[in-house]
Amino acid sequence: MIARAAFLVVAAIAVGSALGLILRRNAIHGALFLVVNLGSIAALYLMMGAEFLAAAQVIVYAGAIMVLFVFAIMVLIPGKEEIGPDPHRRARLLALPIGALLFLLLVLVVARRWTGPAAPAAASGTADAVGRLLFTSYLFPFELTSVLLLAAMVGVMVLARRGA
Amino acid sequence: MSVVADLGISFGRVAFMMFFVLNVAALLGWVERKQSAIMQDRIGANRASIFGLRALGLFHPLADTLKMLAKEDFRPARADRLLFELAPFVSVFFALVAFASIPFGDTLRVGGREIPLQAVTLNVGLLYVFAMLSLGVYGVMMAGWASANNYALLGGQRAAALMISAEIAIGASIMGVVMIHGSLSLMDIVRGQGRLLWGWVPAWGILTQPLAFVLFVTAGIAATKRIPFDMPEGESEIIGYFVEYSGMKFGMFLMTDMVETIVLAGLSTSLFLGGWQIPYLYAEGFRFPWGAAVALSPLLVTVLQVSAFVGKVGAVIFVLMLIRWTLPRFRYDQAMRLGWFGLFPLSIANIVITGLLLLAWESR
């Protein structure tokens, strides 16, 4: 009962902050809403007993990546008075069909109760269990992701060096 | 009845933690002024008095607090209203809750109950403290941005860049400790440090992970934005993210600094100085390696352990203050270089060396 109420509160915060993210004009406000959203998702993980995942979510996404995002927005995104008319005004027309497609997909998923790949039976949220799964059953996707991140890092360095 | 007792115990655990952190934070304002005065051969704050009683200037924190509460609470006209008001609260909140999973004593057994002496029992306690410390920077960034002041903005940006470089070094430097104890729970890590190496040396982190200790404390000072890493403030150049704040909101930023210092001291104590452990003290009393033994009542043991924790935290704070009043401020680029080219590679090296040594130790 209490767990359900807590879930509803956290879920409401998550949805509300997600809406805040896309509806706020102010980029900094949007980014801070995203931080709140990531935090509430971490709270959902915590409720499911995935303590390690929750901590990693907060440290990596809210604590590091979003700090960089906010930093970049502070440095690079000009204030309201400096922006002229939006040069990508045309692209906004695409928002409706693409949004509709995404919404349709979501509706289909929810309606069919598609559950995704079966969760491992003895799922447990400890660092031990997560580490074991990552380095046994899910080793290939795990390594693939790290190669992807490495490629992105090398790419960034090449781009940064070219300018210098 | 038992529900009430459980609630009372939970409340007591949290209350002790809050009482400890908030009071030490207030006291630190005095310590900082008095210790710097002694180090610089001055007398230091001693004028505040109640009925002529000066008590070594101990009333100064009280006087400061009253002054800040009574001051005008000013907000710049162009400031972002909500974020400007919210920033000091965000800052102080994450600093305060960070202490929650730091254990201040062993499990206390009273009337068939087992009470772990920490505010919250988490099996990822270490990551929790780390996460809360890393979220604290949002308060600083919000303050810097919302103030609509270029100096404040510079301070906020410096804080963000500094935090990222320090945080990665912290995360990598504590990995060695985690590898030794095989747990992310601070209680387990402190318990693990009660073991004896070769029968007589307590396995405190500072002995098993000396390099990690130095790296952690250095990166920790950077993460708490204290001198020599106080470029986000840098009162002689940009004043920093709180330049537009006045009254108690400014006081809250000061308080955040103090609370973060306590958290850093508590975390270094738990990871590297054996937390609440006293060498050769076990649940039933002292048992020395040369055979002597002194039996103590469980309550006395708990009191000794909690005092040991408080004493160690005090000692670490003393050292942190020494560093703060000894070193000059790094330049911004120097601090960045130290973080990325010094602390980070060394922490990675520490992980590799620890791994190799652990393998060698286990295959003896």
Side-chain angles (χ1 to χ4, degrees), chain B residues 2-30:
Chain B
S2 85
V3 176
V4 177
D6 281 342
L7 272 179
I9 288 167
S10 302
F11 180 78
R13 285 156 66 191
V14 176
F16 177 87
M17 189 273 289
M18 289 299 260
F19 180 83
F20 175 72
V21 173
L22 283 175
N23 279 290
V24 175
L27 201 61
L28 273 191
W30 174 78

Side-chain angles (χ1 to χ4, degrees), chain A:
Chain A
M1 183 58 205
I2 294 176
R4 199 180 177 78
F7 169 78
L8 286 177
V9 170
V10 175
I13 294 174
V15 173
S17 53
L19 283 176
L21 163 66
I22 51 173
L23 294 180
R24 292 298 295 208
R25 281 269 160 116
N26 189 320
I28 293 270
H29 288 184
L32 290 174
F33 268 119
L34 183 53
V35 176
V36 176
N37 181 261
L38 291 169
S40 49
I41 301 291
L44 288 181
Y45 289 152
L46 206 58
M47 284 175 188
M48 290 189 279
E51 288 187 359
F52 176 74
L53 205 57
Q57 163 99 355
V58 172
I59 292 173
V60 175
Y61 287 100
I65 294 180
M66 283 316 293
V67 171
L68 276 183
F69 261 64
V70 177
F71 178 79
I73 293 173
M74 278 182 184
V75 179
L76 300 176
I77 307 274
K80 211 182 292 174
E81 62 274 18
E82 294 160 53
I83 320 174
D86 185 2
H88 304 297
R89 195 160 260 282
R90 285 277 176 79
R92 288 187 185 181
L93 293 175
L94 284 175
L96 211 61
I98 292 178
L101 202 66
L102 185 66
F103 185 72
L104 198 69
L105 208 63
L106 278 174
V107 168
L108 276 179
V109 168
V110 173
R112 287 180 147 203
R113 291 185 178 278
W114 183 69
T115 48
S124 148
T126 62
D128 189 69
V130 173
R132 225 168 269 281
L133 278 178
L134 277 185
F135 283 97
T136 54
S137 326
Y138 298 97
L139 183 63
F140 183 65
F142 178 68
E143 294 293 343
L144 209 60
T145 316
S146 35
V147 170
L148 187 69
L149 289 176
L150 185 69
M153 258 156 65
V154 172
V156 166
M157 284 188 195
V158 168
L159 286 178
R161 280 284 155 107
R162 190 178 291 165

Side-chain angles (χ1 to χ4, degrees), chain A residues 26 28-29 32 35 51-52 55 58-59 62-64 66-68 70-71 74-75 81 126-127, chain B residues 78 80 83 122-124 127 130-131 134-135 137-138 141-142 145 153 157 160-161 164 167 184:
Chain A
N26 189 320
I28 293 270
H29 288 184
L32 290 174
V35 176
E51 288 187 359
F52 176 74
V58 172
I59 292 173
M66 283 316 293
V67 171
L68 276 183
V70 177
F71 178 79
M74 278 182 184
V75 179
E81 62 274 18
T126 62
Chain B
R78 289 184 55 230
D80 185 307
L83 292 186
L122 275 176
N123 68 37
V124 289
L127 293 184
F130 183 41
S134 66
L135 287 182
V137 75
Y138 281 110
M141 293 170 77
M142 280 159 69
W145 185 79
L153 186 63
Q157 288 172 355
I164 296 282
E167 195 181 314
L184 290 167

